[in-house]
Amino acid sequence: MPGLHVARKLPSPEGTIGELQAILADIVKSVESSTFEPTNNEFTGKITAVIAEINELHDVLMNRLQDTKVDTANSKNTMDDKQRELQDAIYEKRHILEEIQKCRQLRTVFQHLELLPLDTFFATAPAHYAGRDQTEHAQMINRLLFEKEERARQVTRKKSTFMRKATRSHPIFL
């Protein structure tokens, strides 16, 4: 696991290799001068110590390598997540822009209705419909509501006129 290794000063690989080379050079000199004894504990102890340092150095470096691999994998996963979030945001933005474009291109039946001209609307509509400080959308809704009320009044007047004419000319309707 990263960070669990005790931090301590490691022997340098160059120094350890240098020590091993020096020991081997001493052994070669001993062999050449015929003073080498295979049971010489001095050389065996030195070689064992250097090999132990090399093994320790190897273990520490392998642990560091493993920690680095774990850190790299974590960083890669983080970058992949960020990339995925970015792609999601780009997709969502494109989708929203397409929806906005569709809304702008939408044509409704209200655009083809014959409404009173704005000047007539402001002159004849009640104050709660004809406020000049309204947004274009609110103004359109108020114009449609006013038109609906006006048309309903006209239908009522037309029916009452028809009924008056019918009662005058035909007494059956009384």
Side-chain angles (χ1 to χ4, degrees):
M1 299 195 94
L4 292 181
H5 306 290
V6 177
R8 62 183 180 84
K9 184 157 175 58
L10 292 175
S12 76
E14 294 84 12
T16 304
I17 292 172
E19 283 180 45
L20 187 58
Q21 286 174 340
I23 293 169
L24 291 175
D26 288 345
I27 292 173
V28 169
K29 283 181 192 175
S30 300
V31 169
E32 288 174 354
S33 66
S34 299
T35 58
F36 178 72
E37 295 177 22
T39 58
N40 188 342
N41 286 337
E42 179 185 343
F43 289 128
T44 306
K46 286 181 181 180
I47 290 174
T48 304
V50 171
I51 290 175
E53 277 186 29
I54 290 173
N55 284 338
E56 182 182 356
L57 187 60
H58 175 266
D59 291 344
V60 170
L61 292 177
M62 288 306 292
N63 287 336
R64 285 186 183 174
L65 177 65
Q66 188 62 34
D67 290 348
T68 303
K69 284 181 179 181
V70 168
D71 290 344
T72 302
N74 289 340
S75 296
K76 182 184 180 304
N77 289 338
T78 302
M79 287 300 292
D80 289 346
D81 291 344
K82 295 293 181 189
Q83 180 68 22
R84 199 169 17 263
E85 288 173 12
L86 175 64
Q87 290 300 323
D88 289 348
I90 290 170
Y91 173 79
E92 192 170 337
K93 177 184 174 186
R94 187 179 71 232
H95 177 72
I96 290 171
L97 290 175
E98 287 172 0
E99 290 298 315
I100 290 171
Q101 193 63 26
K102 285 179 187 177
C103 289
R104 287 183 177 155
Q105 293 173 353
L106 178 68
R107 299 295 171 229
T108 64
V109 295
F110 301 125
Q111 294 167 331
H112 304 294
L113 288 178
E114 292 183 27
L115 298 176
L116 289 174
L118 273 177
D119 297 335
T120 309
F121 170 72
F122 287 125
T124 58
H128 63 278
Y129 285 137
R132 290 191 180 265
D133 59 340
Q134 298 172 343
T135 64
E136 184 179 336
H137 178 72
Q139 197 175 64
M140 176 60 88
I141 290 172
N142 286 338
R143 285 179 71 190
L144 290 169
L145 290 172
F146 179 68
E147 285 282 335
K148 180 181 175 185
E149 288 178 8
E150 282 297 307
R151 290 179 186 198
R153 280 190 217 108
Q154 285 179 356
V155 167
T156 306
R157 271 188 252 136
K158 187 175 179 181
K159 283 182 182 178
S160 65
T161 305
F162 177 74
M163 289 302 284
R164 268 186 281 141
K165 282 185 180 181
T167 55
R168 282 189 219 154
S169 60
H170 300 290
I172 302 173
F173 291 111
L174 291 172

